[in-house]
């Protein structure tokens, strides 16, 4: 894309942002359960935005759905002898998804609680940007369908043992063929029927079971370092507000992590080298911040977070101030290194019209520059616009609001 075309495209984005019909820079999602909010944001809003939760809690159609679901789960306790029998009863089935989506659409009005929820939260969040061209009522329905799909996927993988997209690092922690595993599933179903809170809203039994599955698998990765603005990114986030962006050509330098392959190793040689290069560029004044990106990925179930270890190395060994370093402790793939960086730029109020750069080794830098097709395949969108190639190890990128779209089939980093 040449400079003129990019400027026109950017102008269109900003006009939409100003009109309030698109994601808002600086929007902060609500909900204290970060795993839940990141995976199932509409369901989180319906639970936490009281006017909306009261509206749906008293709707007779949705009340009936809740009672039917809980009765089906109760029935599994005496009739099921295999995992699929339990999970099929707990998950949203196609008829439930259709009925709930239609009912939410019928309940929607521009001037009621659901209308406010869509206008004040759903659209500004960008979490369902894939449906931005739909009417608000249809956006609400599609957002529910997406969350239901995400809940079902989580249960399939972390209860049923379905292979995730990256089984070597993201798969279930249990041997689903073990004779004793059925008790794990049974006990989870019992929990759903004994917790009276599950009867309050129609989606709670299935959603809470999905969250239970992530918890017992030790897979609450989406909550790493959260709330980041009060923990890992506290110092840098505070400094963002007082940064004179006109002094810098770039907003930040993104450093994608390279996970160690051996158990017990906290940081790889590749990550160390990338940190050194980025720290040198930052000291030259290229950008006011460095963002290190990478979750607890390699090897399987590692206790070490790539981003946290890179930040620690830069502070302790390279003497980079803590308020210079932003962390993304969630990315599990190269695509999400870029996506999560773009997300944090939007969430933290960093200028979206100014580019950021990646600083890594030559091989990965070349790969990243040609990664658009992989992004389309795995994320169904490209979260950035490619800028100029600066050197064999450095590439410009412009963040796009598409990055805010939730990925319903990556519950560890949705």
């Amino acid at each position: 894309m040449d400079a003129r075309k990019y400027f026109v495209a950017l102008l269109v984005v900003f006009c939409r942002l100003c009109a309030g019909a698109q994601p808002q820079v600086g929007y902060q999602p609500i909900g204290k359960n970060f795993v839940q909010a990141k995976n199932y944001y509409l369901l989180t809003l319906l639970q936490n935005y009281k006017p909306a939760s009261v509206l749906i809690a008293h709707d007779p159609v949705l009340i009936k759905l809740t009672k039917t679901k809980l009765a089906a789960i109760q029935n599994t306790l005496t009739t099921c002898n295999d995992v699929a029998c339990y999970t099929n009863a707990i998950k949203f089935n196609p008829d439930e998804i259709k009925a709930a989506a239609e009912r939410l659409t019928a309940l929607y009005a521009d001037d009621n609680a659901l209308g406010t929820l869509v206008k004040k939260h759903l659209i500004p969040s960008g979490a369902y940007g894939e449906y931005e061209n739909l009417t608000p009522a249809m956006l609400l329905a599609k957002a529910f369908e997406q969350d239901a799909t995400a809940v079902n996927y989580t249960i399939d993988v972390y209860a049923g043992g379905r292979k995730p997209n990256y089984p070597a690092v993201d798969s279930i922690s249990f041997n689903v063929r073990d004779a004793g595993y059925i008790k794990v599933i049974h006990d989870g179903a019992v929990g759903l029927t004994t917790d009276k809170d599950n009867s309050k809203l129609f989606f709670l039994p299935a959603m809470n079971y999905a969250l239970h599955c992530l918890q017992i698998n030790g897979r609450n990765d989406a909550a790493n370092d959260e709330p980041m603005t009060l923990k890992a990114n506290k110092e840098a986030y505070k400094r963002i507000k007082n940064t004179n962006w006109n002094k810098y050509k770039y907003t930040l330098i993104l450093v994608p992590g390279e996970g160690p392959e051996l158990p017990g190793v906290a940081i790889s040689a590749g990550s160390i080298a990338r940190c050194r290069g980025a720290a040198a560029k930052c000291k030259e004044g290229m950008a006011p911040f460095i963002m290190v990106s990478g979750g607890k990925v390699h090897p399987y179930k590692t206790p070490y977070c790539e981003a946290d270890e890179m930040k620690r190395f830069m502070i302790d060994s390279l003497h980079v101030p803590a308020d210079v370093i932003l962390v993304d402790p969630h990315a599990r793939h190269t695509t999400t290194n870029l996506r999560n960086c773009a997300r944090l730029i939007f969430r933290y109020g960093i200028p979206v019209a100014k580019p950021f750069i990646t600083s890594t080794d030559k091989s990965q830098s070349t790969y990243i520059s040609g990664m658009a097709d992989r992004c389309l395949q795995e994320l169904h969108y490209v979260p950035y616009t490619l800028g100029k190639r600066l050197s064999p190890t450095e590439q410009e990128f412009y963040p796009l609001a598409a990055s805010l779209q939730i990925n319903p089939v990556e519950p560890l980093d949705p």
Side-chain angles (χ1 to χ4, degrees):
M1 182 182 291
D2 62 35
R4 184 176 179 277
K5 288 181 179 178
Y6 177 75
F7 177 77
V8 172
L10 194 63
L11 186 62
V12 170
V13 170
F14 271 97
C15 287
R16 289 178 176 175
L17 286 173
C18 292
Q22 297 290 312
Q24 291 180 3
V25 174
Y27 174 84
Q28 294 298 310
I30 68 172
K32 295 181 179 180
N33 184 326
F34 293 97
V35 175
Q36 176 183 324
K38 289 183 179 182
N39 277 283
Y40 326 117
Y41 193 48
L42 171 61
L43 302 187
T44 300
L45 289 171
L46 291 175
Q47 183 180 22
N48 288 275
Y49 180 53
K50 190 172 181 179
S53 65
V54 169
L55 176 63
I56 64 174
H58 290 87
D59 178 71
V61 174
L62 297 178
I63 289 172
K64 184 177 179 181
L65 275 178
T66 308
K67 290 180 177 178
T68 302
K69 171 61 73 176
L70 288 172
I73 296 171
Q74 183 68 46
N75 187 54
T76 66
L77 304 182
T78 55
T79 62
C80 285
N81 296 306
D82 61 79
V83 172
C85 179
Y86 285 100
T87 58
N88 287 339
I90 296 170
K91 292 187 300 182
F92 294 104
N93 64 51
D95 290 340
E96 290 168 340
I97 294 174
K98 183 175 183 291
E102 288 178 349
R103 192 58 186 160
L104 289 173
T105 303
L107 289 172
Y108 176 90
D110 288 340
D111 59 354
N112 73 1
L114 292 179
T116 300
L117 182 149
V118 171
K119 288 179 286 187
K120 299 292 187 181
H121 291 286
L122 216 60
I123 293 173
S125 75
Y128 304 91
E130 182 179 348
Y131 317 112
E132 65 184 11
N133 294 322
L134 299 178
T135 65
M138 287 304 298
L139 169 60
L140 179 65
K142 287 294 185 182
F144 170 72
E145 290 172 3
Q146 177 181 300
D147 280 9
T149 298
V151 164
N152 286 354
Y153 181 86
T154 299
I155 295 171
D156 281 338
V157 173
Y158 293 106
R162 171 180 171 179
K163 282 188 177 181
N165 295 326
Y166 291 87
V169 291
D170 295 343
S171 58
I172 192 170
S173 302
F174 298 92
N175 179 359
V176 296
R177 295 180 179 84
D178 188 280
Y181 180 62
I182 193 70
K183 184 178 185 301
V184 174
I185 301 300
H186 175 86
D187 290 348
V190 170
L192 292 180
T193 61
T194 56
D195 186 346
K196 293 183 179 179
D197 284 345
N198 286 314
S199 64
K200 294 180 179 178
L201 298 169
F202 72 96
F203 56 82
L204 287 179
M207 184 191 74
N208 284 339
Y209 189 73
L211 295 172
H212 164 77
C213 292
L214 290 171
Q215 186 173 47
I216 64 173
N217 277 273
R219 290 298 194 174
N220 283 337
D221 294 66
N224 287 350
D225 290 348
E226 293 287 6
M228 292 194 292
T229 56
L230 299 178
K231 293 182 179 179
N233 287 337
K234 182 179 179 179
E235 295 93 342
Y237 181 67
K238 183 178 179 180
R239 182 168 164 255
I240 285 171
K241 301 179 187 304
N242 300 312
T243 297
N244 181 359
W245 299 102
N246 294 326
K247 291 175 55 179
Y248 304 95
K249 187 173 182 180
Y250 301 106
T251 55
L252 58 85
I253 302 168
L254 172 64
V255 186
E258 179 183 71
E261 295 301 327
L262 297 175
V265 177
I267 186 170
S268 70
S271 288
I272 289 174
R274 294 172 188 180
C275 287
R276 290 188 185 279
K281 292 296 179 184
C282 189
K283 288 178 182 178
E284 292 173 8
M286 184 173 278
F289 296 97
I290 298 169
M291 183 181 294
V292 287
S293 175
K296 298 177 180 179
V297 188
H298 300 283
Y300 176 78
K301 297 296 287 284
T302 179
Y304 298 109
C305 175
E306 294 171 19
D308 290 342
E309 297 303 326
M310 287 192 289
K311 178 180 179 180
R312 184 175 292 110
F313 171 76
M314 283 199 290
I315 292 173
D316 294 346
S317 299
L318 305 181
H319 310 295
V320 178
D323 66 358
V324 169
I325 307 168
L326 290 160
V327 304
D328 156 35
H330 304 115
R332 306 184 69 77
H333 317 296
T334 313
T335 53
T336 47
N337 290 138
L338 273 291
R339 183 203 66 182
N340 291 0
C341 178
R343 281 182 175 179
L344 288 182
I345 287 172
F346 273 86
R347 293 289 187 234
Y348 287 3
I350 296 172
V352 298
K354 190 182 286 286
F356 66 93
I357 66 168
T358 53
S359 180
T360 181
D361 56 76
K362 180 179 178 181
S363 175
Q364 190 186 46
S365 188
T366 301
Y367 176 74
I368 289 175
S369 296
M371 198 173 61
D373 286 344
R374 181 181 169 191
C375 288
L376 287 171
Q377 180 181 353
E378 297 184 7
L379 306 176
H380 304 297
Y381 58 83
V382 180
Y384 55 80
T385 294
L386 200 63
K388 294 184 296 185
R389 165 62 63 181
L390 304 179
S391 75
T393 60
E394 295 159 345
Q395 170 73 51
E396 282 184 350
F397 294 89
Y398 292 84
L400 295 179
S403 61
L404 301 170
Q405 168 70 40
I406 292 172
N407 186 343
V409 293
E410 288 287 348
L412 308 192
D413 181 30

